[in-house]
Amino acid sequence: MGLALVPVSRPAPGSGGLTGTWRTLRPVVNLDKCIDCGICWLYCPESVIDWEKGQKIKIDYTYCKGCGICAHECPTKAIEMIPEAGL
Amino acid sequence: MSVRIDLLPKKKYVMPGNSACAGCGMMIGLKILGMALGEEAVLSIPASCASVVQGLGPKSGIAMPILNVPFASAASVATGISEAFKQLGVNGKAVVWAGDGGTADIGFAAVSAAAERNSDVLYIMYDNEAYMNTGIQRSSETPKGAWTTTTPTGKREAKKDVALILLAHGVPYVATASIAYPQDLYRKIKRASEIRGFKFIHLFAPCPPGWLFDPSLTVEVARKAVETGAFILWEYDNGEFKLNPPSSSLVDKKRRKPLTEYLKLQGRFAHLTEEQIRQMEEEIDHKWEFLLKFAQAASRR
């Protein structure tokens, strides 16, 4: 098809590079405090938080830019922003 | 009626590692758009932050079909897509995802024309209140008093209310939404996509580098804008106008939070004098009065 000549991009992680290297603050989750509400998952603008009700959250540090929205929105303050090593 | 968080689709429509700035408000909106419409949406994106955040080819940071189109053409392209869907019998939704500059300024003629034709398009204007990807130049959606690189002492003109202008076109569905209330946005996108004709959603999306605030505060700033009454959540659906929570309980201005709670979070308002803030409060009161009267006039029920 003629479409082969059209530049088409396909969805894949890392279209902006390894964006985890942008991070100066790292979100660290205290799972004991986590109440499994999913609010951090809902607001994460980067989609780096994986969540399923009943399974607590997991953060992908390869791409997390460290904006800190998750820590700010967490209703139980279960996420803490900790300076990256060397900063 | 709000959607339960755990029932929202878990598929990622915004890919990790895209080119958006940390804490980008618009990306939260894009996530919700993906959850609401999934693969059925075909996006027309004019020049904007949204065309930049997709990142470098051959990868794309947004997992929805996208046509990146010239600045002023998005509404016209989407009209073409919706007509093609009709002809081919394809079950798809033509969606425009455009910034405030691409909608209220440069793309306005095409938007107005698509609304006048009542093209079967869902037009979402994510409003970060300036031309952010080119370096924070003021747009007609920049609020009065705000700093931008082209209004170094604060913008002198008022913000254009595009949603009301579109409502005046007589289209079936117009709404405002905020990224601080994702379930409300989700419901509005779902509802709008059920309607044939031109639908418009004005989505409030704060920008940390452009508004000069810490990226962790994106949602907080958006929430404060609604709670202080600076941004009003409403919905016009086929002749019926209503305010949405929490704006619906803020008609009485005593129940609104002080405007300074919203302004003090952002560096772009840091230069404002008390007198200017008082003027802004008055203008917000006037905006509420005008909207409620307009709503009364617009409602057929």
Side-chain angles (χ1 to χ4, degrees):
Chain A
M1 258 176 62
L3 265 183
L5 296 171
V6 179
V8 174
S9 299
R10 296 190 191 283
S15 62
L18 297 174
T19 51
T21 57
W22 299 8
R23 196 172 55 236
T24 55
L25 296 169
R26 166 187 286 255
V28 177
V29 194
N30 179 351
L31 287 180
D32 294 334
K33 277 190 179 175
C34 172
I35 54 166
D36 209 24
C37 65
I39 286 178
C40 56
W41 165 81
L42 183 62
Y43 282 124
C44 174
E46 199 61 25
S47 293
V48 290
I49 299 180
D50 286 316
W51 175 68
E52 200 65 66
K53 188 90 181 158
Q55 298 166 22
K56 292 193 171 177
I57 61 159
K58 228 177 116 221
I59 299 175
D60 179 356
Y61 293 107
T62 315
Y63 296 116
C64 168
K65 292 167 184 165
C67 66
I69 290 179
C70 53
H72 189 83
E73 295 306 319
C74 176
T76 61
K77 300 281 161 247
I79 306 175
E80 203 183 338
M81 299 304 287
I82 294 171
E84 287 287 344
L87 287 167
Chain B
M1 202 173 56
S2 124
V3 197
R4 265 170 58 190
I5 295 183
D6 59 314
L7 297 180
L8 291 170
K10 296 295 181 299
K11 190 180 164 196
K12 291 182 182 183
Y13 289 96
V14 162
M15 302 307 286
N18 55 64
S19 295
C21 306
C24 176
M26 178 201 62
M27 293 312 260
I28 299 175
L30 266 176
K31 256 176 79 163
I32 305 299
L33 172 68
M35 288 177 192
L37 297 185
E39 282 78 12
E40 280 188 8
V42 172
L43 272 56
S44 307
I45 298 184
S48 62
C49 285
S51 41
V52 177
V53 299
Q54 295 162 34
L56 297 176
K59 292 178 175 178
S60 171
I62 304 173
M64 280 175 273
I66 295 172
L67 229 58
N68 286 297
V69 301
F71 224 138
S73 69
S76 314
V77 172
T79 301
I81 293 173
S82 77
E83 289 301 321
F85 281 162
K86 224 181 280 173
Q87 292 291 324
L88 300 169
V90 175
N91 182 26
K93 314 270 185 224
V95 178
V96 178
W97 185 267
D100 47 300
T103 305
D105 301 346
I106 301 172
F108 193 69
V111 179
S112 181
E116 187 258 338
R117 288 190 304 262
N118 201 21
S119 301
D120 190 18
V121 167
L122 168 58
Y123 197 109
I124 303 178
M125 172 180 86
Y126 71 88
D127 181 12
N128 50 23
E129 303 195 324
Y131 290 83
M132 293 314 183
N133 92 79
T134 50
I136 325 171
Q137 291 87 4
R138 62 85 96 184
S139 76
S140 60
E141 289 302 294
T142 306
K144 195 171 177 178
W147 167 92
T148 66
T149 52
T150 48
T151 55
T153 57
K155 192 190 170 198
R156 294 187 193 125
E157 300 81 8
K159 183 180 170 89
K160 187 195 275 184
D161 201 331
V162 196
L164 283 186
I165 299 173
L166 266 299
L167 204 163
H169 281 68
V171 298
Y173 187 89
V174 181
T176 64
S178 164
I179 57 108
Y181 302 93
Q183 286 128 303
D184 179 63
L185 171 63
Y186 178 85
R187 183 186 60 77
K188 283 171 177 166
I189 295 174
K190 279 277 192 202
R191 171 65 193 135
S193 68
E194 290 167 2
I195 299 168
R196 281 198 91 102
F198 192 84
K199 291 85 62 177
F200 185 81
I201 297 177
H202 177 170
L203 174 63
F204 189 80
C207 167
W211 298 11
L212 309 174
F213 63 83
D214 187 88
S216 66
L217 298 178
T218 303
V219 176
E220 179 75 24
V221 168
R223 192 182 296 124
K224 281 277 150 59
V226 173
E227 288 174 348
T228 59
F231 189 79
I232 308 168
L233 295 178
W234 56 267
E235 185 178 24
Y236 172 86
D237 186 348
N238 284 304
E240 193 187 352
F241 183 100
K242 60 171 180 266
L243 292 171
N244 303 117
S247 293
S248 48
S249 57
L250 300 176
V251 176
D252 179 4
K253 77 175 181 196
K254 285 196 274 310
R255 304 189 63 174
R256 295 175 212 155
K257 289 190 172 162
L259 183 62
T260 44
E261 282 191 27
Y262 168 59
L263 301 180
K264 74 179 180 200
L265 295 172
Q266 308 164 59
R268 64 176 178 156
F269 291 120
H271 61 278
L272 291 182
T273 62
E274 274 181 31
E275 173 60 20
Q276 280 172 309
I277 292 173
R278 206 187 50 73
Q279 273 179 17
M280 271 175 114
E281 280 169 345
E282 270 176 22
E283 275 158 27
I284 287 172
D285 292 345
H286 179 253
K287 192 174 132 184
W288 275 84
E289 272 172 42
F290 183 82
L291 179 72
L292 293 172
K293 280 190 186 144
F294 195 99
Q296 229 174 7
S299 281
R300 271 183 258 127
R301 280 171 220 171

